[in-house]
Amino acid sequence: MVEAQRRLMDHLGVPAWLAVSGGSMGGMQALQWAASYPDRVRSVIPIATTLKHSPQQIAFDEVGRQAVMADPDWMGGDYYGHGQPERGLAVARMIGHITYMSDQSMEEKFSRRLKTEGFKFTFDAEFEVEGYLRNRGAHFVRRFNANSYLYVTRAMDYFDLSGDKLFKPGAPIPRFLVISFKSDWLYPSYQSRDIVTALRSRHGDVTYVEVNSTYGHDAFLVEYDEQTRLIKSFLAKTHAALTSAPTRHCRDGRTRRPGVGPGVRQGRPPGPPRQRAGRQAQGIELREESIYECVEKGLAVITATSKAAWGSSPTGILIS
């Protein structure tokens, strides 16, 4: 997927991205951009994502795939011209929606409310949550291809940038803003902290924010205000760092800043920022509002629900 995007980037003549961002599978692609083309990415914002799928995440994907393939209308994948396996794909989507929500958000949205008064002793959708899931499944089959669902979920299961695979030795490391959500049990916060730990072990410039939300994995789609506040400030700082760099004198006597001028116009991306040698101080903040204020001031900060949340401090972190 990222390779296809890179080819479009070259076709459009874009030398480098100011930022690559995405949530869930989009976050995996953002991480892949940093791993494959770190010199063409100035910053990365992975949201509610992971370096690799856990066995539980693979298991949920497999149940969805089996639901599709168990539908007789799937026809071994050669269903074109006959209509796609709507029943199996709808069930797969219903399973997915359960993982996107938290227990609290489902309680608040549905509780045990019935669609009509009293039990009907049938297998129709009597509870509101049943009706919601069936509706979501029915809508999904109208806009998504069953075989695409199989391949996309398999691609997510294959994805793995854990260990030392995120960055090659000596590769430049873009700035990172990593965002997770407290109630997300599909992509839990510990997976985002794994990303942060990997970056800090390479002395990367990383900010991590765990947003207090009750929406589960869906939070990255609905918590607009919190994410806007964080991302707006982060991008402003990233852009300012590129445009306010010290000017350099060219051989013809002109001056220019790194990242602007003839090199970019000729299609050559500006060089990545240099990595600082040695250890870098990093703040761990416990108060949510203080975290947002730090990001707005351009300071790198890491969220922790307690000072013991990280176990031992990641490399270079100063607990304050």
Side-chain angles (χ1 to χ4, degrees):
M1 299 179 191
V2 168
E3 181 60 22
Q5 296 164 8
R6 195 274 306 168
R7 293 186 183 188
L8 175 61
M9 181 186 193
D10 289 345
H11 177 74
L12 296 175
V14 179
W17 301 121
L18 176 67
V20 178
S21 178
S24 197
M25 184 183 71
M28 297 179 191
Q29 294 179 62
L31 291 170
Q32 190 64 59
W33 265 102
S36 298
Y37 303 104
D39 57 332
R40 304 192 68 176
V41 177
R42 297 296 163 263
S43 63
V44 183
I45 311 174
I47 306 171
T49 192
T50 182
L51 292 169
K52 65 178 180 180
H53 263 183
S54 68
Q56 178 175 271
Q57 290 162 330
I58 295 172
F60 277 119
D61 281 349
E62 173 61 6
V63 173
R65 287 191 292 266
Q66 288 298 319
V68 172
M69 294 186 289
D71 189 328
D73 291 336
W74 183 57
M75 302 173 65
D78 189 18
Y79 55 79
Y80 301 100
H82 302 279
Q84 69 169 346
E86 293 186 356
R87 288 170 295 178
L89 184 59
V91 171
R93 186 59 169 176
M94 291 167 68
I95 296 168
H97 263 286
I98 295 171
T99 67
Y100 303 155
M101 302 180 72
S102 70
D103 180 61
Q104 182 175 344
S105 67
M106 294 187 81
E107 176 63 32
E108 293 172 352
K109 189 177 182 69
F110 309 111
S111 189
R112 287 179 52 85
R113 289 188 296 272
L114 296 171
K115 293 171 63 66
T116 58
E117 185 176 350
F119 295 133
K120 305 302 180 184
F121 299 97
T122 70
F123 293 108
D124 293 332
E126 295 189 41
F127 291 94
E128 285 190 4
V129 66
E130 293 176 314
Y132 170 81
L133 291 175
R134 294 189 187 191
N135 181 267
R136 291 296 87 197
H139 278 80
F140 187 67
V141 301
R142 301 173 192 169
R143 59 185 175 86
F144 211 89
N145 180 276
N147 282 339
S148 295
Y149 178 89
L150 299 180
Y151 281 103
V152 166
T153 57
R154 180 58 89 189
M156 294 170 70
D157 293 342
Y158 284 162
F159 178 79
D160 185 359
L161 287 177
S162 61
D164 59 356
K165 293 188 284 290
L166 182 56
F167 290 109
K168 299 176 182 178
I173 301 178
R175 298 186 73 228
F176 268 78
L177 170 62
V178 181
I179 301 175
S180 70
F181 301 90
K182 288 185 178 180
S183 59
D184 185 353
W185 61 275
L186 180 59
Y187 288 88
S189 291
Y190 81 83
Q191 294 185 324
S192 290
R193 290 196 292 268
D194 287 344
I195 299 171
V196 175
T197 298
L199 290 164
R200 293 304 303 167
S201 70
R202 296 285 301 275
H203 310 294
D205 181 349
V206 56
T207 288
Y208 167 59
V209 180
E210 183 184 43
V211 177
N212 187 16
S213 172
T214 63
Y215 288 108
H217 188 56
D218 268 347
F220 87 93
L221 297 173
V222 297
E223 296 287 10
Y224 302 122
D225 294 341
E226 291 78 1
Q227 293 180 87
T228 298
R229 186 177 176 186
L230 294 168
I231 294 172
K232 181 179 179 180
S233 301
F234 178 79
L235 291 180
K237 176 67 175 181
T238 302
H239 184 262
L242 292 173
T243 57
S244 63
T247 56
R248 297 177 180 175
H249 291 277
C250 302
R251 291 182 178 179
D252 59 5
R254 294 177 297 168
T255 61
R256 66 179 178 87
R257 294 185 178 93
V260 297
V264 174
R265 286 201 297 268
Q266 295 171 8
R268 296 193 299 271
R274 295 180 180 178
Q275 301 300 316
R276 294 181 180 179
R279 297 165 66 88
Q280 299 180 36
Q282 182 95 41
I284 289 186
E285 181 55 64
L286 307 180
R287 298 176 301 277
E288 186 171 4
E289 180 59 28
S290 296
I291 295 166
Y292 288 88
E293 291 175 357
C294 286
V295 175
E296 289 174 335
K297 294 176 181 178
L299 302 175
V301 65
I302 287 176
T303 301
T305 54
S306 69
K307 291 187 177 182
W310 290 84
S312 58
S313 298
T315 302
I317 286 183
L318 172 63
I319 301 180
S320 58

